[in-house]
Amino acid sequence: MHEETASALSAFDIAALLVVASALLGWFNHHFVKLPHVIGLTVMGAIAAIGLMVANAFIPGITLDDWVANTLQQMNFTDTLLQGMLSFLLFAGALHVDLDRLKVAWLPVLLLSTVGVIISTVLVGLAMWGVGMMLGLSIAPIWYFVFGALIAPTDPVSVLGVLKEENVPKSLQSAVAGESLFNDGVGIVIFIILLGAAISGKDFSFIEGAELFAIEAGGGVMVGLVFGWIGYRALASMDEYALEVLITLAIVMGGYALCSSLHISGPLAMAVAGLMIGNQGVTFAMSDVTRDYVIKFWELVDELLNSVLFLLIGLEMIVLTVGGDVLVFGLLAIPLTLVARAVGIFVSTKTIPAARLQDKGAGRVLWWGGLRGGISIALALSLPPGETRDLILAATFAAVLFSVLVQRATLGRLIEKLKDEHAPAVEEDKAQGSPIPPPA
């Protein structure tokens, strides 16, 4: 009993370990490996995990892998990730979306982030259910749809860096960021609803699910509008950068706490609030000095959280039991999620004339640039421990790793190819940019 207490780590100890490990691996990657930061942390986290397992197998008395596994198991991922961290990530991402440019493509963005997410969730769920039956896996069918919901959201941070480097039009950058932002919020709501049904063991009802979605999503949007307006008025009433940064932090933490107590979507609320602060607040309520501090503060928060998440998904390999079935399940998740994404984009942008993407090449950029990232990792890590979690973690790891290592690495080539074809969607835009430049 004493040994268990002594070996237990506090929340601060765990946070310190993650931040220190992220910093050390990030420094090593920057100086020696020289991969893009997020890619480097993912790869090095996985290499560290493999190294610990090899050391444990060949060096008697070495139990570092067991220690890391126990440390990971002590973390309450549901409280830490699902109930807080996602709101910070979505608020930070929303600050970089140009609302004026987004209005031009509001219908395709709306359909992509709602209809597209639902289609992707259903198709991935059905396909992975088929894979599970083929492999003889004995898990409830609804868990396949839980995976479909958590892998549907896309991460704009990595892809926006590539789009900026390639000088694609700001309108396409805003469409990609806007779709990613809202499909994150919608995907999280669907995930929470499906996860609740999966854990309770009750039969899932589409009518009840739709009602819960309307309440959670609608309530989240309303709270986001209210907190965004209050924050805007507070920011406009002063010119004190330290206090204004604190106000933006209060919007996220206070708004999320209220959403938690009301049982509505905190992440979606913070996405809406971030849009308001990133557009109205930055343009009309902040001085140049304050704007610089606010944007850099939230870029740092976003970078830190993504660094920790990508390190965690690499280290989680230690606690995964990677057998043949798990490996096949994970590898098949890669093409199936890509096909589902393609179908979701096609249906969302082709069936309604007004929602069609006018510029040639935009659909291909949206498809291949639909990178999975920190949001999917956070949702997967928040699942309850067990065999089902291991399967879903393996599939998430495979899809995210492919997304980061292959899609992100080749997106620039796709854009160059489209430019050679003179595709309007990627032709360089000389117009002035958005109120907040995309993150580097």
Side-chain angles (χ1 to χ4, degrees):
M1 183 71 179
H2 175 73
E3 290 181 358
E4 288 182 7
T5 304
S7 64
L9 297 173
S10 68
F12 179 82
D13 291 334
I14 292 172
L17 283 171
L18 290 174
V19 172
V20 170
S22 298
L24 288 175
L25 292 178
W27 177 88
F28 186 85
N29 174 65
H30 178 79
H31 286 283
F32 301 105
V33 184
K34 300 187 184 301
L35 287 171
H37 179 63
V38 166
I39 297 176
L41 276 177
T42 307
V43 172
M44 294 181 69
I47 291 173
I50 294 171
L52 291 173
M53 289 186 286
V54 170
N56 186 72
F58 290 98
I59 303 176
I62 296 293
T63 58
L64 283 175
D65 63 332
D66 293 334
W67 180 81
V68 173
N70 290 333
T71 301
L72 290 173
Q73 290 170 0
Q74 288 179 39
M75 299 182 191
N76 190 332
F77 284 118
T78 301
D79 289 341
T80 305
L81 301 177
L82 190 57
Q83 298 182 10
M85 186 181 284
L86 294 177
S87 293
F88 283 87
L89 288 170
L90 286 175
F91 184 86
L95 287 177
H96 296 283
V97 177
D98 185 347
L99 199 53
D100 288 333
R101 293 184 183 274
L102 189 60
K103 288 176 183 176
V104 178
W106 71 271
L107 185 54
V109 167
L110 175 64
L111 293 176
L112 284 166
S113 58
T114 52
V115 176
V117 169
I118 293 171
I119 289 174
S120 180
T121 299
V122 172
L123 290 182
V124 170
L126 289 172
M128 297 306 287
W129 188 1
V131 172
M133 292 176 65
M134 179 184 72
L135 297 174
L137 302 177
S138 56
I139 64 176
I142 193 169
W143 287 105
Y144 298 111
F145 295 94
V146 170
F147 171 69
L150 73 85
I151 208 64
T154 57
D155 180 11
V157 175
S158 296
V159 68
L160 279 179
V162 178
L163 297 182
K164 183 182 178 183
E165 290 170 8
E166 297 293 336
N167 293 319
V168 303
K170 292 294 194 302
S171 56
L172 180 58
Q173 294 184 34
S174 295
V176 170
E179 189 242 338
S180 296
L181 176 68
F182 287 110
N183 72 22
D184 285 348
V186 172
I188 290 167
V189 172
I190 296 174
F191 169 83
I192 291 172
I193 293 171
L194 291 174
L195 179 62
I199 292 175
S200 68
K202 297 179 181 177
D203 292 334
F204 178 74
S205 167
F206 284 102
I207 295 177
E208 289 182 6
E211 290 177 353
L212 282 173
F213 179 84
I215 293 170
E216 289 217 13
V221 169
M222 291 300 298
V223 169
L225 288 171
V226 171
F227 268 73
W229 182 83
I230 292 173
Y232 165 73
R233 297 300 300 174
L235 293 170
S237 68
M238 68 183 74
D239 184 14
E240 182 63 50
Y241 71 85
L243 184 54
E244 291 181 72
V245 170
L246 182 60
I247 287 171
T248 62
L249 194 58
I251 290 171
V252 177
M253 300 184 74
Y256 180 79
L258 177 62
C259 288
S260 251
S261 64
L262 297 176
H263 302 290
I264 56 180
S265 175
L268 197 53
M270 293 308 101
V272 173
L275 271 178
M276 292 186 67
I277 299 301
N279 287 269
Q280 295 296 110
V282 164
T283 306
F284 302 110
M286 295 182 192
S287 65
D288 291 340
V289 173
T290 298
R291 184 183 303 115
D292 187 53
Y293 274 95
V294 168
I295 300 312
K296 287 181 177 177
F297 171 80
W298 283 103
E299 284 182 354
L300 178 62
V301 169
D302 185 80
E303 182 75 14
L304 174 62
L305 295 182
N306 274 287
S307 296
V308 170
L309 284 171
F310 277 91
L311 175 63
L312 280 173
I313 196 67
L315 292 175
E316 273 289 332
M317 285 185 63
I318 292 177
V319 297
L320 289 180
T321 305
V322 184
D325 290 349
V326 174
L327 188 61
V328 172
F329 190 82
L331 290 176
L332 287 178
I334 297 171
L336 293 177
T337 52
L338 286 172
V339 170
R341 168 80 175 162
V343 174
I345 291 174
F346 180 85
V347 173
S348 301
T349 61
K350 297 293 184 183
T351 53
I352 300 176
R356 288 179 182 172
L357 298 170
Q358 299 299 321
D359 293 338
K360 178 185 175 184
R364 276 183 279 177
V365 173
L366 278 171
W367 173 60
W368 199 245
L371 308 183
R372 273 72 182 189
I375 300 293
S376 295
I377 294 170
L379 295 178
L381 291 173
S382 71
L383 296 174
E387 180 185 354
T388 300
R389 182 180 188 263
D390 289 349
L391 281 167
I392 293 178
L393 266 177
T396 304
F397 181 83
V400 170
L401 202 61
F402 180 86
S403 177
V404 171
L405 296 182
V406 179
Q407 288 177 251
R408 187 190 186 280
T410 58
L411 181 59
R413 297 179 195 172
L414 171 64
I415 293 172
E416 289 297 330
K417 181 181 177 182
L418 290 171
K419 284 182 178 179
D420 291 339
E421 297 174 3
H422 301 290
V426 295
E427 288 297 315
E428 187 172 348
D429 186 2
K430 302 297 185 181
Q432 293 299 312
S434 57
I436 301 180

